[in-house]
Amino acid sequence: MILLKLLVFMFIIAKPCYGYFNFFLNKAEVRKLMGLQAELFYVKEGVVNDYAMKFILQVPAQTQELHFTWENLAGKSLQYQVLVDISTPAALTSTLDISENGEIPVGNKQTWTLSLHCGPYDAEIDLTIRVKVFLNRRNETHLEFRRKKICLKAEKIHHLEEVLVAASGTTTGGQIFYAAIGCACAFIAAILVVIAAYYVRDKKTRRHRDPLQESRALSSACSVERGTGIGPAQTFLSPETPPPPSCASATSYRRLDDRPSRELHERIQEITVQRCRVRLLSIEMEGTFGRVYRGSYHEEGAITPRDVLVKTAAEHASQAQVALLLREGLALYGLSHPGLLPVLGVSIEDRSAPFLLYPHTNYRNMKRFLIRCKQSCEGPPRALTTQEVVEMALQAARGVQYLHRKRLVHRDIAARNCVVDDNLTVQITDNALARDLFPQDYHCLGDNENRPIKWLAIESLLSKTFTTSSDVWAFGVLLWELTTLAQQPYVEVDPFEMATYLRNGYRLAQPINCPDELFAVMAYCWAMSPDERPTFSQLIVCLQEFHTQLTRYV
């Protein structure tokens, strides 16, 4: 009995103190820093929000105070210590309205304030607030919050003007007058910005006119064989053709060094194939306006035809959708890597549907492969072990690494844009027809762009910025797809709420049976700041080391 009491006493003493308090930003503070109507919990009922702790929030020039709220749930004394580190003390000083050491009040929420005082010159200062909460020396919780404070010289002048206006008894009418002046100036500035954006867009459109229009003269003398099922004649859209009313995104690839239209025209000439050498055998996949056929291609001089995959537009597809198919399908032309599926040929003959040709070696779409594994009544046709998942991820990572070395950003890395064969060999593909074949993965947010919202990095959602770092974010979602056998990410989140959801610090949950080491790689990919995400070279090293650990026990 004495031993039992001793064990109970030791458990009570050893219980971590972070289970006894809440620590969060109230709605007013979140609205001030992020523009959101929500509370941001760093610690909630004993659970530390590690994602939120990593955020570096920017503090605007007009914000002079930071507010934090905590609540003691322990019912007894909780000691705390607050320390503030400033990168440039000459440019910024701070004061607390609580002591640096003390106790968190019991029973009531307390909001305390950190006041910031800028120096006499413009600067951007790194600010770190360190909070330690503890019951005793062995039970301590360390929290660290990072902020970037903007200081401007004009800030003090503006503050002084407000003081003088208030002291002189300025009437409400005078304030309305100045507010009206400010609104008028903002309205004029907005008009100028819209005019400038329209001018730049119009100029860019004229400069980058679709080079595929010039390729119509490449038609071959061969006639199309009857019975191929490609459909009636179609022509390319003219430069004057308006965009389709439905959601249709621009090409999802972006060269860091934009190539001239003439070079793309030459690439099309190099891989143009004669349509009469291609036979369509069966439909592999079909969407609303696109089809993927399995077929054969009899190359000139070859004895036997080779198996190919053919991507083409359906007979009712618009000319804009046809042009989009060709632009995205040619994005990987000229690249050679085991982790990439290259385009083999293209046909753009007049009066018929253009198509893209790919080599076919018994592979299948990775997303459909994973779904089939999950939905098999008798279990997966080939159960994927953790080791095999890591091997597949490594192959995909090496393929994207090669793209980045060639200064090419993919912008749509996902299981639907990969193929896998019976030996689990993985290749990255272009995303031609992906929106049509997997419409549940793409959403239109009222901007006439169909985008893979739930695979996009936070900066891609907010400002449509795509870099190698945003590819890293999408690769983290691809890893999650591999471990969940192609579950839909963020299935409970409305696409219109994704940006807010991510800014609040929420991410995909760790899948069942997913090792901590593999989930840690995913979490690194989803860092809020692009600079804090790993490169693909670093990802390959992490995955390779984890794979080596797995093979030691297999």
Side-chain angles (χ1 to χ4, degrees):
M1 188 67 181
I2 297 176
L3 179 60
L4 178 61
K5 290 183 178 179
L6 180 60
L7 290 174
V8 172
F9 174 77
M10 292 178 64
F11 173 78
I12 295 174
I13 295 299
K15 191 173 182 179
C17 74
Y18 61 71
Y20 294 106
F21 72 99
N22 288 337
F23 196 106
F24 60 96
L25 302 183
N26 58 33
K27 290 185 178 180
E29 187 71 5
V30 174
R31 184 171 61 251
K32 178 178 66 178
L33 295 178
M34 305 182 196
L36 303 174
Q37 295 288 340
E39 293 179 333
L40 175 59
F41 276 84
Y42 293 107
V43 181
K44 186 172 184 179
E45 298 179 357
V47 179
V48 179
N49 188 345
D50 293 321
Y51 291 119
M53 298 294 297
K54 297 177 182 179
F55 298 165
I56 303 177
L57 298 181
Q58 191 171 48
V59 183
Q62 66 271 19
T63 300
Q64 307 297 328
E65 295 180 343
L66 299 178
H67 302 279
F68 297 87
T69 304
W70 53 26
E71 181 181 14
N72 187 343
L73 305 177
K76 55 185 176 182
S77 174
L78 280 181
Q79 302 294 320
Y80 75 81
Q81 182 182 67
V82 180
L83 298 175
V84 180
D85 291 337
I86 299 174
S87 61
T88 314
L92 182 70
T93 58
S94 65
T95 56
L96 288 165
D97 67 346
I98 58 173
S99 61
E100 292 186 352
N101 298 276
E103 296 183 1
I104 301 178
V106 178
N108 297 320
K109 297 178 182 178
Q110 181 189 28
T111 299
W112 49 273
T113 303
L114 175 65
S115 300
L116 305 175
H117 313 285
C118 288
Y121 54 88
D122 298 346
E124 181 177 292
I125 303 99
D126 292 325
L127 183 71
T128 304
I129 303 108
R130 295 185 173 88
V131 178
K132 181 169 71 174
V133 181
F134 52 94
L135 278 173
N136 51 53
R137 293 181 179 178
R138 290 186 298 178
N139 292 333
E140 297 181 354
T141 298
H142 295 266
L143 306 175
E144 184 176 291
F145 313 95
R146 291 181 291 172
R147 304 287 187 267
K148 278 189 179 293
K149 177 68 178 86
I150 307 299
C151 287
L152 301 176
K153 289 183 291 186
E155 186 179 337
K156 289 190 174 182
I157 298 175
H158 178 67
H159 178 68
L160 180 59
E161 288 176 349
E162 290 182 341
V163 173
L164 292 176
V165 170
S168 61
T170 302
T171 63
T172 303
Q175 294 176 355
I176 294 175
F177 172 76
Y178 287 115
I181 293 290
C183 290
C185 293
F187 180 71
I188 294 172
I191 291 177
L192 292 176
V193 169
V194 171
I195 293 174
Y198 179 81
Y199 171 77
V200 171
R201 181 180 179 182
D202 184 66
K203 183 177 180 181
K204 185 176 180 180
T205 301
R206 292 195 304 268
R207 187 174 63 249
H208 296 287
R209 179 171 293 178
D210 191 353
L212 296 176
Q213 312 301 325
E214 305 172 6
S215 302
R216 301 172 67 180
L218 299 178
S219 302
S220 170
C222 285
S223 59
V224 183
E225 293 189 358
R226 297 184 181 273
T228 58
I230 293 182
Q234 296 189 23
T235 57
F236 286 98
L237 72 164
S238 65
E240 293 76 24
T241 303
S246 61
C247 292
S249 171
T251 176
S252 292
Y253 292 86
R254 179 173 64 87
R255 288 273 182 187
L256 299 182
D257 52 339
D258 292 332
R259 298 188 176 184
S261 300
R262 182 178 302 175
E263 185 174 343
L264 181 55
H265 175 80
E266 293 173 353
R267 299 210 315 257
I268 295 174
Q269 285 183 310
E270 292 175 2
I271 59 174
T272 296
V273 299
Q274 295 175 327
R275 190 178 293 269
C276 60
R277 295 185 179 276
V278 179
R279 289 182 180 273
L280 305 182
L281 304 177
S282 61
I283 296 179
E284 292 285 305
M285 300 176 67
E286 185 172 12
T288 303
F289 63 86
R291 296 191 185 116
V292 180
Y293 290 89
R294 185 168 184 175
S296 63
Y297 171 52
H298 202 137
E299 295 182 80
E300 187 175 358
I303 300 176
T304 57
R306 62 184 300 182
D307 291 335
V308 293
L309 213 63
V310 182
K311 288 184 180 181
T312 186
E315 52 271 13
H316 56 272
S318 69
Q319 295 176 344
Q321 290 162 340
V322 171
L324 183 62
L325 164 69
L326 293 173
R327 283 200 303 269
E328 293 182 334
L330 291 172
L332 299 184
Y333 169 68
L335 302 178
S336 178
H337 188 272
L340 296 180
L341 179 68
V343 61
L344 181 64
V346 60
S347 174
I348 53 173
E349 295 178 4
D350 286 332
R351 308 185 61 79
S352 53
F355 63 73
L356 297 166
L357 218 60
Y358 300 85
H360 184 58
T361 54
N362 240 357
Y363 56 72
R364 67 208 76 174
N365 181 272
M366 182 190 286
K367 180 162 186 169
R368 297 184 71 187
F369 167 75
L370 295 173
I371 292 175
R372 187 162 55 252
C373 288
K374 180 171 56 179
Q375 295 179 344
S376 175
C377 298
E378 301 176 358
R382 177 170 182 175
L384 295 180
T385 65
T386 301
Q387 182 176 340
E388 289 173 329
V389 167
V390 175
E391 289 172 354
M392 295 170 71
L394 271 170
Q395 295 177 70
R398 293 189 181 106
V400 183
Q401 180 192 44
Y402 174 79
L403 288 179
H404 289 179
R405 288 176 176 173
K406 293 296 183 178
R407 303 179 63 80
L408 182 66
V409 178
H410 191 286
R411 307 214 304 181
D412 197 1
I413 297 171
R416 62 184 171 272
N417 291 323
C418 297
V419 292
V420 59
D421 65 10
D422 295 334
N423 296 321
L424 299 184
T425 301
V426 175
Q427 290 180 306
I428 301 290
T429 72
D430 58 58
N431 66 326
L433 294 183
R435 297 173 190 82
D436 186 45
L437 299 174
F438 300 95
Q440 71 277 8
D441 293 353
Y442 295 84
H443 299 91
C444 218
L445 301 185
D447 53 2
N448 201 35
E449 254 190 83
N450 223 0
R451 296 183 289 159
I453 299 299
K454 297 184 178 182
W455 279 260
L456 294 183
I458 180 67
E459 69 272 12
S460 303
L461 279 171
L462 296 176
S463 59
K464 298 183 181 179
T465 301
F466 293 90
T467 63
T468 54
S469 297
S470 61
D471 273 359
V472 170
W473 181 296
F475 179 79
V477 183
L478 171 60
L479 276 178
W480 189 87
E481 289 184 281
L482 283 171
T483 55
T484 61
L485 296 180
Q487 287 186 22
Q488 285 295 108
Y490 305 104
V491 67
E492 74 286 357
V493 183
D494 187 273
F496 286 88
E497 301 296 328
M498 272 303 301
T500 301
Y501 189 82
L502 296 177
R503 290 180 65 175
N504 283 344
Y506 297 103
R507 298 291 186 272
L508 289 167
Q510 183 171 356
I512 299 174
N513 298 327
C514 175
D516 293 340
E517 294 86 349
L518 189 57
F519 184 67
V521 176
M522 301 180 202
Y524 292 149
C525 296
W526 301 326
M528 180 64 73
S529 172
D531 296 334
E532 295 180 358
R533 297 172 205 154
T535 63
F536 271 93
S537 297
Q538 294 169 331
L539 284 173
I540 290 172
V541 171
C542 292
L543 291 171
Q544 189 63 61
E545 290 180 352
F546 181 47
H547 183 267
T548 302
Q549 294 176 9
L550 291 172
T551 55
R552 291 175 181 172
Y553 304 101
V554 177

PDB file of all heavy atoms in Angstrom, residues 294-315:
ATOM      1  N   ARG A 294      -4.666   3.982 -74.907  1.00  0.00           N
ATOM      2  CA  ARG A 294      -3.519   3.088 -75.082  1.00  0.00           C
ATOM      3  C   ARG A 294      -3.457   2.768 -76.571  1.00  0.00           C
ATOM      4  O   ARG A 294      -4.475   2.465 -77.186  1.00  0.00           O
ATOM      5  CB  ARG A 294      -3.677   1.824 -74.264  1.00  0.00           C
ATOM      6  CG  ARG A 294      -2.451   0.926 -74.335  1.00  0.00           C
ATOM      7  CD  ARG A 294      -2.498  -0.169 -73.299  1.00  0.00           C
ATOM      8  NE  ARG A 294      -1.300  -0.969 -73.310  1.00  0.00           N
ATOM      9  CZ  ARG A 294      -1.027  -1.938 -72.446  1.00  0.00           C
ATOM     10  NH1 ARG A 294      -1.897  -2.220 -71.500  1.00  0.00           N
ATOM     11  NH2 ARG A 294       0.098  -2.612 -72.527  1.00  0.00           N
ATOM     12  N   GLY A 295      -2.271   2.843 -77.145  1.00  0.00           N
ATOM     13  CA  GLY A 295      -2.148   2.632 -78.583  1.00  0.00           C
ATOM     14  C   GLY A 295      -0.787   2.110 -78.967  1.00  0.00           C
ATOM     15  O   GLY A 295      -0.004   1.643 -78.131  1.00  0.00           O
ATOM     16  N   SER A 296      -0.503   2.188 -80.261  1.00  0.00           N
ATOM     17  CA  SER A 296       0.790   1.752 -80.785  1.00  0.00           C
ATOM     18  C   SER A 296       1.285   2.795 -81.778  1.00  0.00           C
ATOM     19  O   SER A 296       0.494   3.456 -82.454  1.00  0.00           O
ATOM     20  CB  SER A 296       0.673   0.378 -81.447  1.00  0.00           C
ATOM     21  OG  SER A 296      -0.199   0.440 -82.575  1.00  0.00           O
ATOM     22  N   TYR A 297       2.604   2.874 -81.865  1.00  0.00           N
ATOM     23  CA  TYR A 297       3.228   3.839 -82.783  1.00  0.00           C
ATOM     24  C   TYR A 297       4.282   3.111 -83.603  1.00  0.00           C
ATOM     25  O   TYR A 297       5.213   2.515 -83.062  1.00  0.00           O
ATOM     26  CB  TYR A 297       3.849   4.987 -81.981  1.00  0.00           C
ATOM     27  CG  TYR A 297       4.690   5.927 -82.802  1.00  0.00           C
ATOM     28  CD1 TYR A 297       4.184   6.519 -83.968  1.00  0.00           C
ATOM     29  CD2 TYR A 297       5.994   6.238 -82.414  1.00  0.00           C
ATOM     30  CE1 TYR A 297       4.955   7.383 -84.711  1.00  0.00           C
ATOM     31  CE2 TYR A 297       6.766   7.118 -83.151  1.00  0.00           C
ATOM     32  CZ  TYR A 297       6.255   7.684 -84.293  1.00  0.00           C
ATOM     33  OH  TYR A 297       7.015   8.547 -85.049  1.00  0.00           O
ATOM     34  N   HIS A 298       4.104   3.147 -84.909  1.00  0.00           N
ATOM     35  CA  HIS A 298       5.039   2.475 -85.802  1.00  0.00           C
ATOM     36  C   HIS A 298       6.014   3.522 -86.341  1.00  0.00           C
ATOM     37  O   HIS A 298       5.709   4.260 -87.276  1.00  0.00           O
ATOM     38  CB  HIS A 298       4.294   1.808 -86.964  1.00  0.00           C
ATOM     39  CG  HIS A 298       5.080   0.714 -87.602  1.00  0.00           C
ATOM     40  ND1 HIS A 298       4.528  -0.508 -87.967  1.00  0.00           N
ATOM     41  CD2 HIS A 298       6.393   0.618 -87.952  1.00  0.00           C
ATOM     42  CE1 HIS A 298       5.459  -1.280 -88.494  1.00  0.00           C
ATOM     43  NE2 HIS A 298       6.595  -0.609 -88.499  1.00  0.00           N
ATOM     44  N   GLU A 299       7.198   3.563 -85.735  1.00  0.00           N
ATOM     45  CA  GLU A 299       8.194   4.540 -86.154  1.00  0.00           C
ATOM     46  C   GLU A 299       8.739   4.184 -87.536  1.00  0.00           C
ATOM     47  O   GLU A 299       8.784   3.011 -87.926  1.00  0.00           O
ATOM     48  CB  GLU A 299       9.340   4.598 -85.136  1.00  0.00           C
ATOM     49  CG  GLU A 299       8.927   5.095 -83.763  1.00  0.00           C
ATOM     50  CD  GLU A 299      10.103   5.177 -82.811  1.00  0.00           C
ATOM     51  OE1 GLU A 299      10.860   6.160 -82.882  1.00  0.00           O
ATOM     52  OE2 GLU A 299      10.262   4.224 -82.020  1.00  0.00           O
ATOM     53  N   GLU A 300       9.172   5.195 -88.237  1.00  0.00           N
ATOM     54  CA  GLU A 300       9.718   4.992 -89.577  1.00  0.00           C
ATOM     55  C   GLU A 300      11.006   4.167 -89.482  1.00  0.00           C
ATOM     56  O   GLU A 300      11.912   4.487 -88.720  1.00  0.00           O
ATOM     57  CB  GLU A 300      10.001   6.344 -90.231  1.00  0.00           C
ATOM     58  CG  GLU A 300      10.419   6.236 -91.690  1.00  0.00           C
ATOM     59  CD  GLU A 300      10.568   7.596 -92.341  1.00  0.00           C
ATOM     60  OE1 GLU A 300      10.307   8.612 -91.647  1.00  0.00           O
ATOM     61  OE2 GLU A 300      10.958   7.645 -93.509  1.00  0.00           O
ATOM     62  N   GLY A 301      11.067   3.094 -90.226  1.00  0.00           N
ATOM     63  CA  GLY A 301      12.243   2.228 -90.218  1.00  0.00           C
ATOM     64  C   GLY A 301      12.184   1.116 -89.211  1.00  0.00           C
ATOM     65  O   GLY A 301      13.013   0.201 -89.243  1.00  0.00           O
ATOM     66  N   ALA A 302      11.211   1.169 -88.271  1.00  0.00           N
ATOM     67  CA  ALA A 302      11.112   0.129 -87.247  1.00  0.00           C
ATOM     68  C   ALA A 302      10.342  -1.069 -87.778  1.00  0.00           C
ATOM     69  O   ALA A 302       9.435  -0.936 -88.603  1.00  0.00           O
ATOM     70  CB  ALA A 302      10.421   0.679 -86.007  1.00  0.00           C
ATOM     71  N   ILE A 303      10.701  -2.256 -87.305  1.00  0.00           N
ATOM     72  CA  ILE A 303      10.039  -3.480 -87.758  1.00  0.00           C
ATOM     73  C   ILE A 303       8.703  -3.662 -87.050  1.00  0.00           C
ATOM     74  O   ILE A 303       7.699  -4.010 -87.669  1.00  0.00           O
ATOM     75  CB  ILE A 303      10.955  -4.697 -87.530  1.00  0.00           C
ATOM     76  CG1 ILE A 303      12.275  -4.531 -88.303  1.00  0.00           C
ATOM     77  CG2 ILE A 303      10.247  -5.992 -87.914  1.00  0.00           C
ATOM     78  CD1 ILE A 303      13.269  -5.644 -88.045  1.00  0.00           C
ATOM     79  N   THR A 304       8.699  -3.464 -85.749  1.00  0.00           N
ATOM     80  CA  THR A 304       7.465  -3.651 -84.976  1.00  0.00           C
ATOM     81  C   THR A 304       7.084  -2.332 -84.304  1.00  0.00           C
ATOM     82  O   THR A 304       7.953  -1.538 -83.941  1.00  0.00           O
ATOM     83  CB  THR A 304       7.662  -4.735 -83.898  1.00  0.00           C
ATOM     84  OG1 THR A 304       8.766  -4.357 -83.048  1.00  0.00           O
ATOM     85  CG2 THR A 304       7.950  -6.078 -84.541  1.00  0.00           C
ATOM     86  N   PRO A 305       5.799  -2.093 -84.112  1.00  0.00           N
ATOM     87  CA  PRO A 305       5.363  -0.869 -83.428  1.00  0.00           C
ATOM     88  C   PRO A 305       5.656  -0.950 -81.931  1.00  0.00           C
ATOM     89  O   PRO A 305       5.819  -2.035 -81.363  1.00  0.00           O
ATOM     90  CB  PRO A 305       3.863  -0.822 -83.702  1.00  0.00           C
ATOM     91  CG  PRO A 305       3.467  -2.239 -83.936  1.00  0.00           C
ATOM     92  CD  PRO A 305       4.653  -2.906 -84.572  1.00  0.00           C
ATOM     93  N   ARG A 306       5.702   0.200 -81.293  1.00  0.00           N
ATOM     94  CA  ARG A 306       5.940   0.262 -79.857  1.00  0.00           C
ATOM     95  C   ARG A 306       4.661   0.716 -79.161  1.00  0.00           C
ATOM     96  O   ARG A 306       3.834   1.428 -79.716  1.00  0.00           O
ATOM     97  CB  ARG A 306       7.078   1.230 -79.520  1.00  0.00           C
ATOM     98  CG  ARG A 306       6.816   2.660 -79.912  1.00  0.00           C
ATOM     99  CD  ARG A 306       8.015   3.560 -79.646  1.00  0.00           C
ATOM    100  NE  ARG A 306       8.396   3.592 -78.240  1.00  0.00           N
ATOM    101  CZ  ARG A 306       9.384   4.340 -77.767  1.00  0.00           C
ATOM    102  NH1 ARG A 306      10.118   5.080 -78.601  1.00  0.00           N
ATOM    103  NH2 ARG A 306       9.671   4.342 -76.488  1.00  0.00           N
ATOM    104  N   ASP A 307       4.485   0.251 -77.914  1.00  0.00           N
ATOM    105  CA  ASP A 307       3.320   0.648 -77.126  1.00  0.00           C
ATOM    106  C   ASP A 307       3.463   2.114 -76.702  1.00  0.00           C
ATOM    107  O   ASP A 307       4.545   2.556 -76.266  1.00  0.00           O
ATOM    108  CB  ASP A 307       3.195  -0.228 -75.881  1.00  0.00           C
ATOM    109  CG  ASP A 307       2.825  -1.667 -76.234  1.00  0.00           C
ATOM    110  OD1 ASP A 307       2.217  -1.863 -77.305  1.00  0.00           O
ATOM    111  OD2 ASP A 307       3.166  -2.572 -75.449  1.00  0.00           O
ATOM    112  N   VAL A 308       2.379   2.828 -76.815  1.00  0.00           N
ATOM    113  CA  VAL A 308       2.395   4.250 -76.444  1.00  0.00           C
ATOM    114  C   VAL A 308       1.108   4.579 -75.700  1.00  0.00           C
ATOM    115  O   VAL A 308       0.132   3.817 -75.704  1.00  0.00           O
ATOM    116  CB  VAL A 308       2.511   5.165 -77.683  1.00  0.00           C
ATOM    117  CG1 VAL A 308       3.852   5.010 -78.360  1.00  0.00           C
ATOM    118  CG2 VAL A 308       1.361   4.925 -78.642  1.00  0.00           C
ATOM    119  N   LEU A 309       1.148   5.743 -75.049  1.00  0.00           N
ATOM    120  CA  LEU A 309      -0.025   6.331 -74.436  1.00  0.00           C
ATOM    121  C   LEU A 309      -0.307   7.628 -75.182  1.00  0.00           C
ATOM    122  O   LEU A 309       0.619   8.391 -75.480  1.00  0.00           O
ATOM    123  CB  LEU A 309       0.229   6.620 -72.955  1.00  0.00           C
ATOM    124  CG  LEU A 309      -0.970   6.496 -72.005  1.00  0.00           C
ATOM    125  CD1 LEU A 309      -1.501   5.075 -71.982  1.00  0.00           C
ATOM    126  CD2 LEU A 309      -0.575   6.926 -70.598  1.00  0.00           C
ATOM    127  N   VAL A 310      -1.565   7.882 -75.480  1.00  0.00           N
ATOM    128  CA  VAL A 310      -1.941   9.043 -76.286  1.00  0.00           C
ATOM    129  C   VAL A 310      -2.904   9.917 -75.493  1.00  0.00           C
ATOM    130  O   VAL A 310      -3.960   9.442 -75.062  1.00  0.00           O
ATOM    131  CB  VAL A 310      -2.605   8.616 -77.622  1.00  0.00           C
ATOM    132  CG1 VAL A 310      -2.943   9.851 -78.455  1.00  0.00           C
ATOM    133  CG2 VAL A 310      -1.694   7.676 -78.390  1.00  0.00           C
ATOM    134  N   LYS A 311      -2.530  11.159 -75.293  1.00  0.00           N
ATOM    135  CA  LYS A 311      -3.418  12.138 -74.673  1.00  0.00           C
ATOM    136  C   LYS A 311      -3.990  13.024 -75.777  1.00  0.00           C
ATOM    137  O   LYS A 311      -3.235  13.610 -76.552  1.00  0.00           O
ATOM    138  CB  LYS A 311      -2.665  13.009 -73.665  1.00  0.00           C
ATOM    139  CG  LYS A 311      -2.259  12.307 -72.378  1.00  0.00           C
ATOM    140  CD  LYS A 311      -1.613  13.293 -71.405  1.00  0.00           C
ATOM    141  CE  LYS A 311      -1.192  12.601 -70.115  1.00  0.00           C
ATOM    142  NZ  LYS A 311      -0.576  13.565 -69.152  1.00  0.00           N
ATOM    143  N   THR A 312      -5.315  13.108 -75.813  1.00  0.00           N
ATOM    144  CA  THR A 312      -5.941  13.918 -76.848  1.00  0.00           C
ATOM    145  C   THR A 312      -7.208  14.551 -76.301  1.00  0.00           C
ATOM    146  O   THR A 312      -7.712  14.155 -75.241  1.00  0.00           O
ATOM    147  CB  THR A 312      -6.268  13.068 -78.089  1.00  0.00           C
ATOM    148  OG1 THR A 312      -6.752  13.918 -79.124  1.00  0.00           O
ATOM    149  CG2 THR A 312      -7.308  12.015 -77.766  1.00  0.00           C
ATOM    150  N   ALA A 313      -7.709  15.529 -77.023  1.00  0.00           N
ATOM    151  CA  ALA A 313      -8.935  16.207 -76.630  1.00  0.00           C
ATOM    152  C   ALA A 313     -10.135  15.529 -77.276  1.00  0.00           C
ATOM    153  O   ALA A 313     -10.056  15.024 -78.394  1.00  0.00           O
ATOM    154  CB  ALA A 313      -8.878  17.680 -77.031  1.00  0.00           C
ATOM    155  N   ALA A 314     -11.251  15.531 -76.569  1.00  0.00           N
ATOM    156  CA  ALA A 314     -12.489  14.982 -77.126  1.00  0.00           C
ATOM    157  C   ALA A 314     -13.023  15.915 -78.203  1.00  0.00           C
ATOM    158  O   ALA A 314     -12.602  17.068 -78.323  1.00  0.00           O
ATOM    159  CB  ALA A 314     -13.514  14.785 -76.011  1.00  0.00           C
ATOM    160  N   GLU A 315     -13.983  15.405 -78.967  1.00  0.00           N
ATOM    161  CA  GLU A 315     -14.472  16.168 -80.115  1.00  0.00           C
ATOM    162  C   GLU A 315     -15.154  17.473 -79.707  1.00  0.00           C
ATOM    163  O   GLU A 315     -15.211  18.419 -80.476  1.00  0.00           O
ATOM    164  CB  GLU A 315     -15.418  15.315 -80.953  1.00  0.00           C
ATOM    165  CG  GLU A 315     -16.531  14.659 -80.171  1.00  0.00           C
ATOM    166  CD  GLU A 315     -16.135  13.290 -79.631  1.00  0.00           C
ATOM    167  OE1 GLU A 315     -14.920  12.963 -79.666  1.00  0.00           O
ATOM    168  OE2 GLU A 315     -17.039  12.565 -79.192  1.00  0.00           O
TER     169      GLU A 315
END
